[in-house]
Amino acid sequence: MSFAASVRHLQTLIMSFHPIIVVETVEEPRVQHLINKSTLDLQLPVYEWSIAQGLVRMEGNRYNRWKNEYAPPGASRPAVDENTADPIDALRHIQAIAHRAIYWFKDFSTHFDDPVVTRLFREVAQQFSHNQSTLLISGEQVSLSREIAHEAVYFDMPLPDRDELHKAIVDAVQALRGRIKVKLTPAEMRTLVHTTQGMTLNQTKKVIAYAALEDGHLNADDIGRVLERKMQIIRESGLLDYIPVEKNTAELGGFHGLKQWLAQARTGFSSQAQALNLTPPKGILIVGIQGCGKSLAAKTIAREWQMPLLKLDAGRLYDKYVGGSEKNFRQAVSLAEKMAPAVLWIDEIEKTMGGAQGADTDGGLSRRLFGSFLTWLQEKSQEVFVVATANDISQLPPELLRKGRFDEIFFVDLPDAEERATILSIHLQRHHQAPDQFNLVELVQATEGFSGAEIQQLIVSSLYQSIHQQCALDTALLVQSIKATVPLSVSRREDIQRLRCLATDRFVPVK
Ligand SMILES: Nc1ncnc2c1ncn2[C@@H]1O[C@H](COP(=O)(O)OP(=O)(O)OP(=O)(O)O)[C@@H](O)[C@H]1O
Ligand SMILES: [Mg+2]
């Protein structure tokens, strides 16, 4: 959502009599900007409250005269309403204000621990339903009790868009004028802006200033530094893991059918497709036998398409507060949308979303999360390609497998002879072994029924052995390790058989 769209959205919420609006963000200057822009045409007075300042009346947003802590130093502060720093006093005070207004309360949710505050707050909300005022609460995390959540609507503060990020970079450079030299072509500047997508304005300013001050220059070399910092920031957000294109070294053997499908699907992102009003592909589900390259396929898609890979760890979405998990989900997907075009990878989707067991044990939370996911998948217009993987399809809700949810559902079986040859070569090369020094025909035969993971493992363990025995790795050593391994196809024969029965004819093989 662009900033202009957010303004419209907030205006609509205010106009449609929502008494409580919650904005979860650390970026208060942006909230201020948003309120300012949104209330400009509505001609409503705006009050602002913080525990430090109490209630402050803004002098008519029409002239943009905010004089709070974000005003430049030296700007005179507006008069504070006396004795309103205490949350209870503030709420009583606004109860007595008869005219319609917008109130912005910062970091208020910590005060809900007090039952008097909670009660008063509810009364204010009820009153606002009549006099059409709106109270907006902001904070990094706003957790509401059920009673209050009932009255409230969450407003998703989108991350800054490209224009805002561009301005943040220019501001950071301006602030360092005289101390740094800037050498960026317009194309490099665009890449830099693109690299900062997914970060807040503050984070962007800091990272740009740091990168520039380190050597006194802001140039193309700093793009890598910014990227490193972004990886860290996204990981710290705790919801997504981020693998930038530059760090993605995945190499997948076989999977020709999938690769062909992807080559075609990729055209869905092209400007030609856009011109014809075609929407980009939504995503795929890969189900199949463990250790056969599902996760690796997700990484490979991002690499082939030169898109960043964002891994959603669905387990980390769970939150003990009402609506917290859904909110985490929204946050994760909005981060992914900000970084679009991107691949959003949901590994082992059956473990967290849906699943008959999940519904019984967590009060239907996983079902609700799954519902949010389906709706988002259906409606998303952003260039976020979803790759979901699953081992156990019996745990998946049937509606996920229905046609049209995903663009396609692929099934991964144990690798055939040709695929095993490729997998052997890939992993031998990865450990600096020339494949032509080995009898691949013999190895391919001997590894019948092995998964890709088992092949990789056997090369690694044989290499350790060769170091231990102080000899070079050769076919005989590998065959010896193969003979000592009980492959999945034997140890999990029944499971694999069951999975094959379920999958054949219903899903498309990746081969
Ligand atoms: N087709 C393949 N090409 C190259 N390497 C492979 C292939 N399949 C598996 N491997 C190797 O096996 C490892 C494990 O594969 P991966 O994690 O992708 O399997 P998975 O299907 O996701 O398994 P799980 O169900 O256990 O999550 C990979 O990191 C890779 O080293
Ligand atoms: Mg996996």
Side-chain angles (χ1 to χ4, degrees), residues 290-296 311 345 347-348 389-391:
Q290 82 193 62
C292 287
K294 297 184 294 297
S295 300
L296 192 60
K311 182 180 176 193
W345 168 27
D347 208 21
E348 309 192 337
T389 62
N391 274 331

Side-chain angles (χ1 to χ4, degrees), residues 258-435:
L258 176 69
K259 285 175 181 167
Q260 234 168 22
W261 186 91
L262 291 166
Q264 192 175 334
R266 188 181 190 172
T267 56
F269 293 103
S270 67
S271 49
Q272 263 170 308
Q274 256 171 27
L276 295 175
N277 219 0
L278 296 169
T279 45
K282 286 192 289 236
I284 54 170
L285 172 64
I286 308 176
V287 298
I289 294 168
Q290 82 193 62
C292 287
K294 297 184 294 297
S295 300
L296 192 60
K299 292 182 204 159
T300 309
I301 295 166
R303 184 181 163 183
E304 287 280 314
W305 285 2
Q306 290 289 294
M307 289 181 188
L309 178 67
L310 296 162
K311 182 180 176 193
L312 179 79
D313 186 342
R316 285 195 248 160
L317 293 177
Y318 286 86
D319 187 282
K320 62 181 174 187
Y321 289 108
V322 182
S325 309
E326 288 94 330
K327 186 193 76 201
N328 284 342
F329 175 74
R330 279 201 309 275
Q331 252 174 17
V333 295
S334 91
L335 189 57
E337 285 175 347
K338 261 293 162 264
M339 295 176 63
V343 173
L344 180 66
W345 168 27
I346 307 177
D347 208 21
E348 309 192 337
I349 191 168
E350 78 274 27
K351 296 218 171 113
T352 35
M353 296 202 194
Q357 292 168 349
D360 292 340
T361 51
D362 63 7
L365 175 58
S366 52
R367 280 257 150 199
R368 287 205 303 280
L369 255 189
F370 174 65
S372 309
F373 170 67
L374 276 192
T375 316
W376 174 75
L377 190 65
Q378 215 69 37
E379 290 173 0
K380 81 186 172 67
S381 58
Q382 305 281 345
E383 293 178 347
V384 177
F385 186 76
V386 176
V387 180
T389 62
N391 274 331
D392 187 354
I393 28 179
S394 66
Q395 288 292 313
L396 282 175
E399 54 268 45
L400 190 68
L401 304 177
R402 209 177 291 151
K403 262 261 173 272
R405 295 291 192 200
F406 286 103
D407 295 314
E408 200 60 89
I409 302 179
F410 288 96
F411 172 61
V412 187
D413 207 332
L414 288 167
D416 63 18
E418 191 194 328
E419 285 175 318
R420 291 200 300 282
T422 322
I423 297 171
L424 279 161
S425 299
I426 289 174
H427 289 285
L428 284 169
Q429 271 166 342
R430 184 150 281 186
H431 298 287
H432 313 300
Q433 307 294 311

Side-chain angles (χ1 to χ4, degrees), residues 124-225:
V124 167
Q126 275 154 24
Q127 189 179 326
F128 281 9
S129 325
H130 297 297
N131 74 4
Q132 301 175 7
S133 290
T134 300
L135 203 161
L136 191 142
I137 310 177
S138 71
E140 187 185 6
Q141 236 196 353
V142 182
S143 310
L144 303 174
S145 64
R146 264 180 207 283
E147 299 91 329
I148 294 175
H150 196 64
E151 307 276 1
V153 56
Y154 276 81
F155 176 88
D156 287 324
M157 182 82 185
L159 282 159
D161 59 25
R162 286 185 196 211
D163 292 342
E164 291 176 276
L165 290 165
H166 185 271
K167 186 168 176 303
I169 296 174
V170 172
D171 286 351
V173 167
Q174 287 264 315
L176 300 173
R177 214 176 16 203
R179 276 188 283 169
I180 57 159
K181 286 203 174 68
V182 183
K183 199 165 156 240
L184 285 167
T185 64
E188 286 163 353
M189 182 63 175
R190 273 197 299 280
T191 314
L192 191 61
V193 171
H194 183 74
T195 310
T196 57
Q197 278 188 299
M199 293 202 261
T200 64
L201 293 182
N202 250 336
Q203 286 166 340
T204 303
K205 280 186 196 159
K206 280 188 207 148
V207 72
I208 294 293
Y210 189 89
L213 285 171
E214 220 175 14
D215 58 357
H217 294 275
L218 184 67
N219 52 28
D221 294 345
D222 290 311
I223 293 171
R225 289 199 191 107

